[in-house]
Amino acid sequence: MTGLLEIQGLTAHYGDFKALFGVDLILEEGQTLAIIGANGAGKTTLMRAITGIARVSGGSIRLKGRDLAQLSAPDILTAGIAMVPEGRRLFPSLTVEENLQIGAHARTGNRFWTLDRIFTLFPILRERRSQPGTALSGGQQQMVAIGRALMSNPTVLLCDELSLGLAPVVIREIYAAFPTIRDSGAAIIVVEQDISQALKVADHVHCMMEGRITLSGRPQELSRGAIHDAYFGVK
Ligand code: ATP
């Protein structure tokens, strides 16, 4: 099977510590894929490896057949992979609009996302456009972080723990934007500790534990018991 993003045998280290042990993953065009797993499973490391932030020590990452292994993080962004990082990481001294514009510095060939389209996706950001990003609520800051990533017009959008620390109503509001994001042509990978949220949003789910994918399948194919065992490492 060939996909938009193909990862084969990926390993990653922090110094001598091995965090990923041969991860294989395929993301198809138009797909939303969820990666679930407990604290320390390696989900963030996988995202950071894809975006060129974590050191890849083996295996391959291909976007439309192009090997990303030798590219720097900024070049991977320009190649079409943008990330919404865990904790949002907004620039505190910049306004909402300026935070969004930062994302536009790495625009790819696609030109779908503009400031106006981000404001249509998340109308509250239009009202708050002149405020510092950090003056917003957590959910609104998450919207800015998503908007900032979209402004580069990515082919692949990686979202790390979008729902962390947010109220259920806010989480629903954020995930309600996903169909529009998909229609813009971006395939999506979400990292989630919230299993039911992951099952709701994804076409395909991978569960990770201790640096390995321990279970994969479509949400409707995976039983709660199998997910529980893969998540907590029950043999
Ligand atoms: P969480 O949900 O807590 O973010 P995770 O599944 O994203 O968990 P990672 O953050 O990828 O897991 O961590 C995978 C492993 O790598 C863990 O054992 C963690 O302690 C280790 N690790 C993560 N970042 C570093 C780092 N900068 N230096 C050393 N070890 C790290």
Side-chain angles (χ1 to χ4, degrees), residues 32 38-39 65 72 94 113 147 151 155 174 186:
T32 299
N39 280 338
S72 65
L94 302 184
W113 288 105
M151 284 294 280
T155 311
I174 284 171

Side-chain angles (χ1 to χ4, degrees), residues 4-7 23 25-28 30-36 43 46-47 50-51 61 63 81-84 155-162 175 178 181-182 186-192 198 201-206 208:
L4 173 65
L5 182 72
E6 295 190 10
I7 297 176
V23 171
L25 184 150
I26 293 182
L27 175 70
E28 311 275 357
Q31 196 177 40
T32 299
L33 195 149
I35 298 177
I36 60 174
K43 308 178 301 295
L46 177 57
M47 297 299 102
I50 296 171
T51 51
I61 305 172
L63 181 68
I81 300 183
M83 179 153 82
V84 184
T155 311
V156 175
L157 180 70
L158 308 178
C159 301
D160 196 356
E161 304 277 11
L162 290 185
Y175 275 104
F178 269 45
I181 296 173
R182 266 217 283 211
I188 305 169
I189 300 181
V190 294
V191 162
E192 265 300 341
V201 73
D203 306 305
H204 206 94
V205 179
H206 294 289
M208 285 188 78

Side-chain angles (χ1 to χ4, degrees), residues 117-159:
R117 281 200 161 118
I118 300 293
F119 289 152
T120 304
L121 186 69
F122 297 123
I124 187 69
L125 299 188
R126 194 188 299 273
E127 287 172 35
R128 301 288 170 92
R129 64 195 293 171
S130 304
Q131 295 186 3
T134 47
L136 308 187
S137 69
Q140 291 162 0
Q141 289 188 28
Q142 193 62 279
M143 292 171 192
V144 177
I146 295 169
R148 181 180 58 188
L150 290 175
M151 284 294 280
S152 69
N153 280 286
T155 311
V156 175
L157 180 70
L158 308 178
C159 301

Side-chain angles (χ1 to χ4, degrees), residues 14 17 19 38-45 86 161 193:
Y14 295 104
F17 178 77
N39 280 338
K43 308 178 301 295
T44 295
T45 304
E86 186 176 348
E161 304 277 11
Q193 281 194 41

